[in-house]
Amino acid sequence: MLRRRLNRLLGGDERRVDSRTIYVGHRSCSATEAFIPPKFCDNRIVSSKYTVWNFLPKNLFEQFRRIANFYFLIIFLVQVIVDTPTSPVTSGLPLFFVITVTAIKQGYEDWLRHKADNEVNKYLVTVLEDGGRIRKESEKIKVGDVVEVEEDETFPCDLILLQSSRDDDTCFVTTASLDGESNHKTHYTVPDTEKDLESLNATIECEQPQPDLYKFVGRMHIYKNDQEPTVRSLGPENLLLKGATLKNTQKICGVAVYTGMETKMALNYQGKSQKRSAVEKSINAFLLVYLCILVSKALVCTTLKYVWQSKPGQDEPWYNEKTQREKETNLYLKMFTDFLSFMVLFNFIIPVSMYVTVEMQKFLGSFFITWDKDFFDPEIKEGALVNTSDLNEELGQVEYVFTDKTGTLTQNNMEFIECCIDGFQYKYRDASSELDGFCVTDGPVSKLQQKAGREKEELFLRALCLCHTVQVKESAEQGQGQKDGQIDEVDGLGVDGGVIHPLQEQRGFIASSPDEVALVKGAMRYGFTFLGLESKTMKILNRNNDVEMYELLHVLNFDPVRRRMSVIVRSKSGDTLLFCKGADSSIFPRVRQEEVERIRMHVERNATEGYRTLCVAYKILSAEEYAQADAGLREARLALQDREEKLMTVYNQVETGMSLIGATAVEDRLQEEAAETMEALQGAGMKVWVLTGDKMETAKSTCYACRLFQRNTELLELTVRTLEDGGRRREERLHDLLLEYHKKAVQDAPPVKAGVTRSWSSAGQDYGFIIDGATLSMVLNSSSESNSNRYKNLFLQICQNCTSVLCCRMAPLQKAQIVKMVKNSKGSPITLSIGDGANDVSMILEAHVGIGIKGKEGRQAVRNSDYAIPKLKHLKKLLLAHGHLYYVRIAHLVQYFFYKNLCFILPQFLYQFFCGYSQQPLYDAAYLTMYNICFTSMPILAYSLLEQHICMEVLLDNATLYREIAKNAMLRWGPFLYWTILGVFHGLLFFFGVRYLFSNPALQDNGQVFGNWSYGTIVFTVLVFTVTLKLALDTRHWTWINHFVIWGSLAFYVFFSFFWGGIIWPFLKQQRLYFVFANMLSSVSAWLVIILLILLSLLPEILLVVFRKPRGPHARQLSENGLLQTSRLQLSHHYPTST
């Protein structure tokens, strides 16, 4: 990279900037010139993060960037350097455990990436060299190598197609792994190349690598013995991309033009940014509060120590004189080391093990999604998939859902419904009832039972059979096709009741879009069958069972800007015809206006019924017109600069003055339970936005079908159509419309009560908002900066006050822009994107939570998502049940961890007031180390994995429960304060309760007195039992695992205490707890105090559960619905102060 920049600066790289020259097969073009091969990168792919050498330093650096880890490292170092009251092991061991576990997890993930890279890089490919075929590892391919690829293999790098085994010099490719489209695309060889590639002498000039999958510009110079070199244009139709798969073609040869990290696939790989959940942010905020508590405790103790020591006789009593060295120590240094010692003594208030527990809870918890049988789809025989376990709880906090339409809300399964020819509707019903398969229902009333002329009908059906890029699957592979599910059964009835030949009855079609197959099949129902394309000749079987042949002269490809495609063909009689099909908005302006009205009615009616509509037009080209078009197209295709624009100009010149023949309607069915899912999400208080590349009318009808728009919803439309209505400048009109809608939806709208959505608020008017891509780019990229921000704010406020928003005609990047805009808006709402195709990847990566659907459009979305589900309907359970439970579990885990550590350390702080601030520990070192690791860690882990405070069925039936935990309700400052006060109350009770017991000197039968270690052990025993039983009280869903870990932890504590104090350990210098525990339990008073204190601590909790009445906005509803009442009670019990 650096070398490239230097070269560019020093002028040595001028030619790199625009284009590169590639020598095919590394052969020089002229015999006289010396051949110097240009340097390009190799074909290695690298997606891993670490290597063996840099893993340790890089990983440790990343881990210690986390506040908590860094803090514990400092504490550990202080313990090692300064003479502190506790051993360095107490904080070193937990830290070492955390770092090791995390490093192993990240190392394993990176090892998997290395493995995947190696599979790609070491894959063997065939390269043609010096007349022979050599097997090489994929990473050794160089730019200019001629590579051979066989059927069903993936291309190892970006290749220009030079030779194909098919007779018509084409090959078929699927690009599902690149752009999610699973259908077959046709690619063409470069014309005029030698059949024998060994003798081919050629250079390729093409643009520098760039990420756009659909753009490629280049030209090839072919040198033949001393003649002028012939020049051929190269476009995306000649380029085979790395990652795509060869289909339906035995083998091809191509020359490598881009390799390794310069291939389009590698340039498109957007590294996943680390997504952080809101809970993690809350943890960091709470950590800072506890850090302040810790520092203030240490400061108070240090200050009081020196105040106390300043009194005469206290600093140096007669029994404890100072050494000479102690007397000479600097006072301030001594103060500082004392402060550090107190910090170390109290540092357990910050729980290091919480991070491990949270990591384990997320990792293990994610398996419940994978194991959920409801997510299993029998069709694809797969269930849900979790790619990122860090975001489980975020599923319970979603406020905005952004969904794609095609393939997500709908099935992406096209079916031909009806067509309209010359203003007459032809609806396909059962062909046996209608003799000719046509049923004419509407159209002008006077002509109700009439049909279009036979000539028009045939012209329309010919257009459907010719204007497409469909290929017929070869009969030799019929069996193969059935296996792939590529072959479609088609009704075998001809128009005159005659039966189409059985060979045509089962015909497999391959096309770049499912719409095209549906149209070719539609024509087939009406007696026109497309037989295939052979060496530039298209064959059709017409109604009379005659084969018609047309020479294919040019294909004017479909593109999203023109939104139409055309073919130019020559019939047997010598007529040159142009057939064009496309969206109504792009065809109507290019045909005679008197023809439009007859068909517009049908198109609009079909669009409102939710069908995808296309209009069909034709034009007869005179010899001069064709010659001009032909010359223009050839010239534009050879251009290296601005090829797209030049082609567009020629296309637009040719596609004018056409005659409109008719229109077609194709249906894309809704996904099962799409409407119920959307309704549940809205009931749960989420705003649903539909972001689609489709037409507004189609998308609008899908929104109505999904119940996102109701019949009474007032639609606010901000599209190119509404901007051009006023006849003023677009920018002014945009401004006026935004202000008008803002007044309607924001200023005049009645204030919405919190937690109420439209199903309750019958008084106010519901608004739906519609915007298209062109208008959105005006809003986002307005000419002046101040306007742009103002428009953005107005637009956002309008959208936030609408029940649903529909954005149509969106480019993939615009989808991501919208998500980003909402994500960064006021209040930083949690966003979720769901889609199934590669065009949704950018928005899936942008949102807080990205969900991929394992649909028909390949697996690109699934690969980049955080979670993948087979169907849209599974989203309901994923959010309302799993998401809700995950959030409640982890919120409880975090609050409980801080609470139990506060209970743990507060008695230690209070103890300092009674031991002359001498940093004397209250608990033994073993207890300090084991408290968080062994005695109290398993019950909360089990709780945070298995708890269901409300059962799943209730959560699914009552979507409103989701709102109770919205906006991080259980980790706000209210609940945090409640838990902190509870911790302080318990800490005070433990310490002073035991101190009250010690006010009686004779606690044992023999009259002996308990010592300070007995005091600490009684406090610790009460502590362990109270915090564990507190969790048992909070548990609503008991399983054998909960019973095992809760009672098992308590039994382990008792067993460990006997064991630790009952043996003389050779490796301990002093054994503080020798027989202390057994001795303590011999006293009846100690038993009484332990039981009494545990009961006293838990009494408020028990009373709260018994006497609590339901409160909050839903109290009346609750009293009517017992089930909901109990469930909300359970919820409010989890965070008492939030309702």
Side-chain angles (χ1 to χ4, degrees):
M1 195 73 196
L2 186 67
R3 192 178 66 203
R4 190 182 301 173
R5 283 203 182 132
L6 279 173
N7 272 348
R8 214 168 263 189
L9 281 174
L10 303 172
D13 214 355
E14 300 289 71
R15 288 179 50 241
R16 262 203 75 88
V17 184
D18 315 322
S19 63
R20 53 166 62 183
T21 303
I22 295 145
Y23 296 88
V24 178
H26 308 290
R27 284 184 289 277
S28 167
C29 310
S30 63
T32 50
E33 287 176 33
F35 173 61
I36 303 161
K39 280 205 170 71
F40 300 111
C41 77
D42 60 9
N43 199 29
R44 253 189 327 199
I45 290 285
V46 182
S47 66
S48 54
K49 199 169 170 185
Y50 307 109
T51 63
V52 177
W53 309 112
N54 71 10
F55 176 70
L56 261 181
K58 202 169 172 183
N59 186 270
L60 287 176
F61 173 69
E62 279 176 10
Q63 289 208 54
F64 284 119
R65 276 165 62 184
R66 279 183 118 158
I67 298 178
N69 290 348
F70 185 68
Y71 163 77
F72 281 104
L73 181 69
I74 298 294
I75 291 288
F76 173 67
L77 293 175
V78 167
Q79 280 178 296
V80 172
I81 298 161
V82 180
D83 177 23
T84 53
T86 54
S87 146
V89 175
T90 52
S91 63
L93 198 68
L95 179 68
F96 176 72
F97 178 66
V98 174
I99 296 290
T100 313
V101 168
T102 316
I104 290 171
K105 179 176 164 245
Q106 291 179 347
Y108 174 68
E109 284 172 358
D110 202 62
W111 176 74
L112 289 179
R113 279 189 219 113
H114 270 282
K115 207 170 137 195
D117 286 349
N118 268 346
E119 268 177 32
V120 175
N121 293 334
K122 302 289 180 203
Y123 182 77
L124 288 176
V125 292
T126 309
V127 178
L128 305 182
E129 256 179 40
D130 308 327
R133 295 159 79 248
I134 296 170
R135 298 288 279 171
K136 258 190 189 180
E137 287 174 353
S138 166
E139 62 184 6
K140 293 188 177 152
I141 294 176
K142 294 194 287 293
V143 172
D145 280 351
V146 178
V147 181
E148 184 179 284
V149 180
E150 297 191 352
E151 185 168 11
D152 291 329
E153 285 187 339
T154 53
F155 302 117
C157 55
D158 291 352
L159 305 167
I160 290 289
L161 181 59
L162 297 177
Q163 206 179 65
S164 164
S165 61
R166 290 175 64 94
D167 305 335
D168 56 1
D169 285 341
T170 61
C171 75
F172 298 112
V173 164
T174 58
T175 54
S177 63
L178 293 166
D179 59 7
E181 293 182 13
S182 52
N183 27 43
H184 292 54
K185 296 187 171 64
T186 313
H187 287 261
Y188 301 92
T189 57
V190 184
D192 302 337
T193 49
E194 309 272 341
K195 276 285 163 255
D196 175 20
L197 291 181
E198 269 313 299
S199 55
L200 175 68
N201 218 345
T203 59
I204 292 173
E205 248 183 283
C206 60
E207 59 186 2
Q208 286 302 338
Q210 51 113 336
D212 191 327
L213 296 176
Y214 309 106
K215 283 210 175 114
F216 174 72
V217 178
R219 54 176 173 229
M220 186 164 173
H221 299 263
I222 302 166
Y223 298 89
K224 288 183 184 165
N225 29 34
D226 303 335
Q227 297 172 7
E228 264 303 290
T230 44
V231 182
R232 289 284 168 259
S233 72
L234 305 175
E237 70 279 0
N238 308 114
L239 184 70
L240 306 171
L241 301 179
K242 179 185 175 75
T245 311
L246 184 65
K247 291 282 180 193
N248 219 21
T249 314
Q250 281 171 358
K251 68 173 184 187
I252 62 107
C253 291
V255 58
V257 282
Y258 304 127
T259 49
M261 298 309 276
E262 290 185 338
T263 55
K264 288 186 183 284
M265 179 182 168
L267 294 173
N268 263 288
Y269 178 74
Q270 189 178 356
K272 274 192 176 176
S273 60
Q274 189 60 46
K275 291 184 181 180
R276 283 267 154 87
S277 74
V279 170
E280 208 164 306
K281 290 166 194 158
S282 300
I283 293 178
N284 287 342
F286 296 162
L287 252 175
L288 288 173
V289 172
Y290 271 73
L291 205 59
C292 295
I293 295 176
L294 170 67
V295 172
S296 51
K297 275 183 178 180
L299 276 173
V300 166
C301 285
T302 314
T303 313
L304 289 177
K305 175 174 182 169
Y306 283 92
V307 168
W308 187 72
Q309 286 186 355
S310 64
K311 291 176 186 164
Q314 303 280 36
D315 187 21
E316 202 177 350
W318 56 270
Y319 56 82
N320 189 10
E321 288 189 5
K322 289 186 176 178
T323 60
Q324 190 59 35
R325 185 161 164 232
E326 277 177 333
K327 285 179 185 167
E328 286 166 5
T329 327
N330 181 317
L331 177 69
Y332 293 110
L333 184 67
K334 184 104 181 62
M335 277 183 171
F336 182 63
T337 52
D338 273 332
F339 171 73
L340 288 181
S341 298
F342 279 119
M343 284 282 283
V344 167
L345 188 61
F346 301 142
N347 99 72
F348 290 92
I349 197 168
I350 309 267
V352 64
S353 58
M354 179 172 72
Y355 280 93
V356 181
T357 314
V358 166
E359 287 275 322
M360 284 171 73
Q361 190 265 355
K362 287 179 172 181
F363 177 66
L364 297 171
S366 61
F367 285 111
F368 290 122
I369 294 179
T370 319
W371 292 334
D372 193 327
K373 288 204 171 68
D374 292 346
F375 291 156
F376 184 78
D377 184 43
E379 235 179 90
I380 56 171
K381 297 194 171 37
E382 281 183 55
L385 175 74
V386 178
N387 293 330
T388 316
S389 57
D390 291 347
L391 302 169
N392 295 342
E393 65 280 2
E394 211 83 319
L395 294 170
Q397 293 293 299
V398 176
E399 291 171 60
Y400 283 87
V401 174
F402 298 95
T403 166
D404 173 40
K405 185 184 81 74
T406 312
T408 305
L409 292 176
T410 62
Q411 294 177 6
N412 200 10
N413 195 357
M414 307 297 174
E415 194 187 332
F416 184 86
I417 298 294
E418 62 177 70
C419 58
C420 149
I421 305 175
D422 203 20
F424 297 92
Q425 185 190 18
Y426 291 73
K427 211 178 183 104
Y428 183 77
R429 295 272 170 82
D430 189 6
S432 53
S433 65
E434 296 279 340
L435 187 68
D436 57 1
F438 285 136
C439 167
V440 182
T441 52
D442 74 25
V445 184
S446 58
K447 303 179 176 178
L448 191 63
Q449 288 307 319
Q450 302 172 13
K451 296 193 298 193
R454 184 161 180 117
E455 216 171 285
K456 270 277 165 72
E457 277 175 17
E458 295 198 347
L459 185 65
F460 177 80
L461 295 171
R462 276 191 192 101
L464 289 191
C465 279
L466 294 170
C467 186
H468 56 69
T469 54
V470 175
Q471 301 282 343
V472 176
K473 202 157 174 60
E474 292 168 9
S475 51
E477 286 164 337
Q478 286 290 34
Q480 166 79 31
Q482 266 159 327
K483 210 164 60 201
D484 294 348
Q486 286 282 358
I487 286 193
D488 302 274
E489 301 286 329
V490 173
D491 312 77
L493 280 146
V495 170
D496 307 321
V499 177
I500 297 177
H501 304 305
L503 193 141
Q504 271 99 47
E505 195 176 321
Q506 278 206 335
R507 186 166 282 280
F509 292 116
I510 303 166
S512 56
S513 117
D515 298 46
E516 297 215 305
V517 176
L519 294 180
V520 171
K521 282 191 197 152
M524 205 157 156
R525 286 173 171 179
Y526 297 140
F528 268 74
T529 309
F530 173 60
L531 298 178
L533 172 73
E534 275 174 41
S535 56
K536 295 282 180 193
T537 306
M538 297 178 96
K539 293 183 183 173
I540 300 177
L541 187 73
N542 66 16
R543 288 178 179 179
N544 311 327
N545 281 349
D546 299 331
V547 176
E548 299 179 6
M549 290 169 125
Y550 293 87
E551 185 191 349
L552 178 62
L553 301 170
H554 286 287
V555 177
L556 281 52
N557 286 329
F558 177 85
D559 66 70
V561 183
R562 269 171 56 241
R563 291 172 52 206
R564 58 183 183 273
M565 71 143 315
S566 306
V567 293
I568 302 177
V569 294
R570 186 172 285 140
S571 66
K572 268 278 191 280
S573 57
D575 294 334
T576 307
L577 299 163
L578 171 114
F579 289 110
C580 177
K581 70 165 193 270
D584 47 33
S585 56
S586 72
I587 297 274
F588 285 167
R590 309 193 150 265
V591 297
R592 303 199 188 102
Q593 287 316 296
E594 62 272 14
E595 300 166 334
V596 170
E597 288 316 309
R598 284 192 299 219
I599 285 172
R600 175 174 278 146
M601 181 176 83
H602 292 271
V603 171
E604 285 175 358
R605 182 176 51 77
N606 285 336
T608 52
E609 286 169 4
Y611 300 140
R612 293 164 75 101
T613 54
L614 284 176
C615 294
V616 181
Y618 88 109
K619 174 184 181 181
I620 298 176
L621 296 174
S622 64
E624 296 82 51
E625 281 177 310
Y626 173 66
Q628 191 184 345
D630 184 53
L633 286 167
R634 285 182 194 284
E635 186 185 331
R637 283 186 180 139
L638 279 179
L640 264 190
Q641 250 79 50
D642 308 328
R643 181 184 293 179
E644 302 289 317
E645 290 76 6
K646 288 177 182 166
L647 278 173
M648 201 72 79
T649 316
V650 181
Y651 290 169
N652 289 337
Q653 279 166 6
V654 181
E655 296 167 332
T656 47
M658 299 183 286
S659 301
L660 190 59
I661 329 171
T664 61
V666 172
E667 183 182 27
D668 188 1
R669 297 237 168 98
L670 274 191
Q671 286 266 12
E672 54 186 300
E673 292 177 39
E676 291 81 351
T677 306
M678 291 298 126
E679 219 164 20
L681 296 186
Q682 288 193 321
M686 295 175 228
K687 297 267 177 79
V688 182
W689 292 33
V690 180
L691 311 181
T692 175
D694 215 335
K695 283 203 279 300
M696 184 183 93
E697 293 74 19
T698 318
K700 199 155 83 178
S701 56
T702 306
C703 287
Y704 276 118
C706 288
R707 301 182 208 153
L708 291 172
F709 294 159
Q710 305 284 9
R711 289 289 157 215
N712 62 344
T713 307
E714 185 181 334
L715 297 181
L716 310 175
E717 199 182 303
L718 194 64
T719 58
V720 175
R721 194 171 77 190
T722 52
L723 289 187
E724 288 178 348
D725 279 355
R728 309 219 308 282
R729 274 185 55 242
R730 276 187 178 190
E731 187 109 350
E732 292 170 17
R733 179 86 177 129
L734 174 70
H735 186 233
D736 295 350
L737 275 176
L738 278 171
L739 287 175
E740 180 193 326
Y741 293 159
H742 187 267
K743 187 173 185 310
K744 222 184 241 184
V746 184
Q747 294 161 4
D748 301 349
V752 180
K753 292 194 190 80
V756 180
T757 62
R758 65 170 185 214
S759 34
W760 284 270
S761 58
S762 50
Q765 167 69 45
D766 280 342
Y767 292 105
F769 192 69
I770 302 178
I771 186 167
D772 62 6
T775 319
L776 181 77
S777 53
M778 283 173 69
V779 171
L780 296 181
N781 317 318
S782 174
S783 44
S784 66
E785 189 62 36
S786 56
N787 267 2
S788 183
N789 286 336
R790 185 146 170 263
Y791 288 169
K792 232 188 245 185
N793 290 335
L794 284 173
F795 169 66
L796 255 176
Q797 284 174 12
I798 297 167
C799 289
Q800 285 165 342
N801 276 35
C802 291
T803 45
S804 294
V805 178
L806 164 63
C807 307
C808 39
R809 290 279 169 229
M810 290 280 135
L813 220 59
Q814 281 182 313
K815 292 184 179 185
Q817 278 178 323
I818 285 200
V819 176
K820 190 173 186 175
M821 183 168 72
V822 173
K823 190 168 108 176
N824 297 336
S825 66
K826 193 175 157 204
S828 308
I830 303 291
T831 56
L832 175 145
S833 291
I834 177 165
D836 69 324
N839 54 349
D840 307 316
V841 169
S842 47
M843 76 167 179
I844 285 175
L845 288 174
E846 186 59 58
H848 291 98
V849 184
I851 295 189
I853 287 187
K854 301 176 170 184
K856 293 200 164 144
E857 296 196 19
R859 287 297 162 92
Q860 195 76 341
V862 170
R863 231 181 265 130
N864 287 285
S865 64
D866 303 307
Y867 300 89
I869 49 178
K871 292 263 167 70
L872 176 79
K873 64 175 179 180
H874 299 138
L875 185 65
K876 178 179 168 184
K877 186 173 185 186
L878 187 68
L879 298 184
L880 300 191
H882 285 288
H884 186 119
L885 292 175
Y886 280 132
Y887 175 73
V888 171
R889 289 165 185 166
I890 201 158
H892 199 283
L893 179 144
V894 169
Q895 300 280 29
Y896 177 80
F897 247 102
F898 282 114
Y899 148 81
K900 75 182 175 78
N901 280 46
L902 186 59
C903 295
F904 178 43
I905 285 304
L906 191 64
Q908 172 74 71
F909 170 66
L910 296 169
Y911 187 56
Q912 295 307 307
F913 290 85
F914 296 89
C915 67
Y917 312 102
S918 60
Q919 296 143 18
Q920 168 66 29
L922 178 62
Y923 314 114
D924 182 64
Y927 283 164
L928 282 172
T929 310
M930 305 275 284
Y931 176 70
N932 273 327
I933 294 181
C934 300
F935 301 148
T936 57
S937 62
M938 289 317 286
I940 183 63
L941 180 63
Y943 173 94
S944 66
L945 287 172
L946 305 167
E947 174 63 3
Q948 293 184 24
H949 59 295
I950 304 174
C951 69
M952 289 220 175
E953 289 70 30
V954 178
L955 286 173
L956 285 172
D957 293 340
N958 302 285
T960 45
L961 287 172
Y962 190 86
R963 293 190 214 156
E964 309 269 321
I965 57 161
K967 298 198 187 301
N968 210 2
M970 290 175 66
L971 287 173
R972 290 213 195 123
W973 292 108
F976 176 67
L977 201 65
Y978 163 79
W979 281 94
T980 307
I981 290 168
L982 190 69
V984 170
F985 165 67
H986 284 177
L988 291 168
L989 196 62
F990 302 157
F991 184 79
F992 289 108
V994 178
R995 185 166 183 276
Y996 180 70
L997 162 78
F998 271 66
S999 59
N1000 169 14
L1003 289 176
Q1004 284 174 289
D1005 303 347
N1006 58 8
Q1008 281 186 347
V1009 183
F1010 273 162
N1012 66 328
W1013 293 114
S1014 303
Y1015 185 96
T1017 305
I1018 295 177
V1019 172
F1020 193 76
T1021 307
V1022 177
L1023 165 77
V1024 169
F1025 272 79
T1026 305
V1027 296
T1028 307
L1029 293 173
K1030 158 86 175 101
L1031 192 64
L1033 274 179
D1034 285 345
T1035 304
R1036 295 278 168 277
H1037 182 74
W1038 284 89
T1039 63
W1040 66 268
I1041 301 177
N1042 295 84
H1043 281 293
F1044 177 73
V1045 293
I1046 286 179
W1047 314 123
S1049 289
L1050 296 176
F1052 174 70
Y1053 165 67
V1054 175
F1055 168 75
F1056 175 82
S1057 300
F1058 273 121
F1059 184 66
W1060 183 244
I1063 297 173
I1064 295 176
W1065 298 99
F1067 56 81
L1068 290 179
K1069 286 194 192 115
Q1070 74 270 42
Q1071 198 155 343
R1072 300 157 172 176
L1073 283 198
Y1074 187 61
F1075 264 91
V1076 166
F1077 194 74
N1079 212 8
M1080 173 188 95
L1081 290 187
S1082 66
S1083 161
V1084 180
S1085 318
W1087 274 93
L1088 179 69
V1089 157
I1090 289 172
I1091 292 166
L1092 256 179
L1093 285 179
I1094 292 171
L1095 283 174
L1096 268 176
S1097 305
L1098 297 175
L1099 191 65
E1101 195 73 17
I1102 297 165
L1103 292 176
L1104 200 70
V1105 174
V1106 175
F1107 292 117
R1108 179 147 237 238
K1109 278 197 170 71
R1111 294 178 290 139
H1114 306 289
R1116 198 177 72 253
Q1117 274 166 278
L1118 298 186
S1119 54
E1120 294 162 9
N1121 182 340
L1123 186 65
L1124 263 178
Q1125 185 167 348
T1126 49
S1127 58
R1128 283 222 174 79
L1129 254 173
Q1130 290 163 344
L1131 249 179
S1132 55
H1133 169 72
H1134 275 268
Y1135 51 109
T1137 52
S1138 71
T1139 29

